[in-house]
Amino acid sequence: MIGQLRSVVIDCPDPRALAAFYSELLGVPFADGDSDDDWVVLGGPPGHQPRLAFQQALNLRPPAWPDPERPQQFHLDVTVDDIESAEKAALALGARRLPGEGEGFRVYADPAGHPFCLCWD
């Protein structure tokens, strides 16, 4: 092993707002003392998982799922117990449903346009 995962970092125009969305969606708290206007972290201190960070990118061109000209670049899979109630809650937080789904997942965009999936077994 060369190293350990420290954080998954998501570029976005408003780090605090997108961090609040994912904090509610995933139930992960804001990290203590590890945030400012252009960098916000959810989770514990470095070395404690999970950690999700949000970095300001003012001129971000968000992915345009499923357009290959602006691919998703990365996405998060979020496991849920009840897809209908999870979808309702995610949409209330500001997510929007995107085209595409399969057996056990549906595709959404967060408020900044990044795709993520709600998954169930």
Side-chain angles (χ1 to χ4, degrees):
M1 174 176 70
I2 294 174
Q4 294 179 326
L5 177 67
R6 179 184 180 103
S7 302
V8 173
V9 181
I10 300 174
D11 287 352
C12 58
D14 186 345
R16 188 155 307 280
L18 196 57
F21 171 84
Y22 278 105
S23 178
E24 288 292 322
L25 183 71
L26 302 173
V28 178
F30 282 77
D32 292 332
D34 204 4
S35 299
D36 56 35
D37 289 340
D38 58 359
W39 177 263
V40 178
V41 178
L42 300 179
H48 294 82
Q49 301 302 325
R51 279 177 57 96
L52 192 56
F54 303 86
Q55 176 175 274
Q56 189 173 51
L58 295 175
N59 297 316
L60 177 75
R61 287 189 57 205
W65 172 268
D67 182 357
E69 292 297 315
R70 290 178 37 207
Q72 63 180 341
Q73 302 159 10
F74 85 98
H75 74 275
L76 301 176
D77 286 343
V78 179
T79 301
V80 300
D81 292 326
D82 177 353
I83 184 58
E84 300 306 329
S85 63
E87 177 177 89
K88 183 178 178 181
L91 295 174
L93 288 173
R96 61 184 160 78
R97 182 87 183 264
L98 296 177
E101 64 180 87
E103 188 171 325
F105 73 93
R106 291 182 188 166
V107 184
Y108 303 83
D110 68 24
H114 304 100
F116 69 95
C117 294
L118 295 181
C119 306
W120 64 95
D121 294 329

